[in-house]
Amino acid sequence: MAGCRGVRSGYVSLQSAYRLGKEYTPSAIRERLLDNQRHIGYVPFQKPKYAPLIMLEVEYRKAMKMEGIQIMFALVIELCRLITGNNITPQTPRPLSPEMRQEVIKLDKTLKEYKFLCENHIDSPQELVSFISEKREQISVLEKERQSVYNRNRHKKSDELNA
């Protein structure tokens, strides 16, 4: 005889399933489960949080600025996002497996790198190397400027103390 836990007046006790009524017999439960499989529920449409036409226009303008290979790469990335489930809202009841999460992280990293390359118009490895060297030069100039500011501030303090 099957049993289940019931809560009565502040304590938990084990109750026999026959005391629950006719709706909880094994055949009634099986019938309800089969009925649920036959009648799939309706999920109401949720309104988007953004204006879809504006987003569509923005995406269209971005696509018009891209070249053929960039459009193909963006299409492949979007297909990968659909396959991995990265486009699913976080309200989904079933979380992704650890392997899928790792793949999504890799895909997000690849997308960030791709967007960086597109925004800076880097199309070849030589352009990337020159971009890196330019940024390193800018960093060294800024570091020298920072050091000179530190030195001026340090000497001003010592002059003020001596005066």
Side-chain angles (χ1 to χ4, degrees):
M1 191 167 290
C4 65
R5 292 200 174 261
V7 178
R8 256 186 299 148
S9 62
Y11 70 93
V12 178
S13 66
L14 187 65
Q15 293 181 350
S16 298
Y18 74 91
R19 291 185 180 180
L20 295 174
K22 293 181 181 178
E23 295 178 3
Y24 292 95
T25 62
S27 61
I29 293 172
R30 187 177 300 113
E31 185 61 36
R32 279 199 311 262
L33 289 173
L34 291 173
D35 189 47
N36 286 341
Q37 288 178 353
R38 286 186 216 116
H39 303 291
I40 298 173
Y42 168 81
V43 177
F45 177 74
Q46 295 179 354
K47 288 186 178 181
K49 296 178 182 177
Y50 54 87
L53 291 179
I54 293 173
M55 294 302 291
L56 184 63
E57 185 177 347
V58 168
E59 291 297 322
Y60 176 73
R61 287 184 182 172
K62 283 182 187 176
M64 291 303 293
K65 292 179 184 177
M66 292 179 162
E67 294 177 1
I69 192 74
Q70 290 175 336
I71 292 173
M72 287 295 294
F73 187 75
L75 181 63
V76 168
I77 293 297
E78 287 301 317
L79 287 174
C80 289
R81 292 180 94 195
L82 285 172
I83 291 169
T84 59
N86 194 20
N87 63 334
I88 299 173
T89 59
Q91 298 171 353
T92 55
R94 196 170 124 200
L96 296 174
S97 67
E99 294 86 12
M100 289 298 282
R101 273 188 260 134
Q102 290 297 325
E103 291 300 318
V104 168
I105 291 170
K106 285 182 191 176
L107 180 62
D108 287 340
K109 182 180 176 186
T110 305
L111 281 173
K112 286 179 185 176
E113 291 173 358
Y114 172 71
K115 287 180 183 177
F116 173 78
L117 293 174
C118 285
E119 289 171 358
N120 294 300
H121 307 291
I122 299 173
D123 296 323
S124 66
Q126 293 82 11
E127 290 177 1
L128 181 62
V129 169
S130 66
F131 180 82
I132 291 172
S133 64
E134 289 173 14
K135 293 301 175 185
R136 284 185 179 162
E137 289 173 7
Q138 290 176 359
I139 289 172
S140 65
V141 168
L142 291 172
E143 285 176 342
K144 287 178 184 177
E145 184 180 339
R146 181 181 64 189
Q147 188 62 41
S148 67
V149 170
Y150 285 160
N151 289 339
R152 273 186 292 172
N153 287 339
R154 189 175 62 210
H155 292 301
K156 282 183 181 179
K157 289 178 184 174
S158 63
D159 289 342
E160 290 171 3
L161 291 175
N162 291 334

